[in-house]
Amino acid sequence: MEPLDVEDGFDVHEYRHGLKLRKQDRGTMHLDNRDDFACPACGDVFEQLFVSEHRENTFGDPGTSFCVVRTDDQILLLTH
C-alpha cells in the first residue's frame, strides 16, 4: 500500500496509473482510488479523492469518514 506523497505538493500525474478520473473542471478533480493508495493523513486506504486549487470549497454530506490534507497550493479531501 503506497501512500500519496504530499511533502512537496501533490502531483496527480505521479499516481495516474492507480487513480481514475471521475470529473474535472477548472481547479478541481474528483478521482477514484483503483490501486489501494494510502491516505497521507491517516495511512488507511481511501476510496475517493477530491483535489482543489480553490481557497473555498463546499461539500455535501459524504456519508462516510474523511480526511483533509493541505499542501501549499491544494486542498485534498479523501473519503474512506
Side-chain angles (χ1 to χ4, degrees):
M1 180 170 38
E2 177 186 359
L4 297 183
D5 181 9
V6 296
E7 189 70 27
D8 295 318
F10 175 70
D11 184 2
V12 70
H13 300 291
E14 292 180 23
Y15 301 97
R16 67 176 174 237
H17 62 279
L19 296 174
K20 179 173 173 63
L21 182 65
R22 294 177 54 128
K23 183 178 178 182
Q24 181 175 10
D25 59 21
R26 189 172 180 191
T28 65
M29 287 183 284
H30 189 190
L31 305 124
D32 284 333
N33 184 3
R34 301 285 187 182
D35 204 23
D36 289 337
F37 290 119
C39 175
C42 70
D44 291 339
V45 173
F46 63 92
E47 292 178 17
Q48 295 183 352
L49 168 63
F50 177 79
V51 181
S52 177
E53 297 173 358
H54 301 299
R55 289 184 57 87
E56 292 98 16
N57 297 278
T58 302
F59 305 101
D61 180 4
T64 186
S65 62
F66 62 91
C67 293
V68 177
V69 176
R70 183 177 66 98
T71 69
D72 289 339
D73 300 323
Q74 300 166 314
I75 296 290
L76 283 68
L77 175 81
L78 304 99
T79 58
H80 295 277

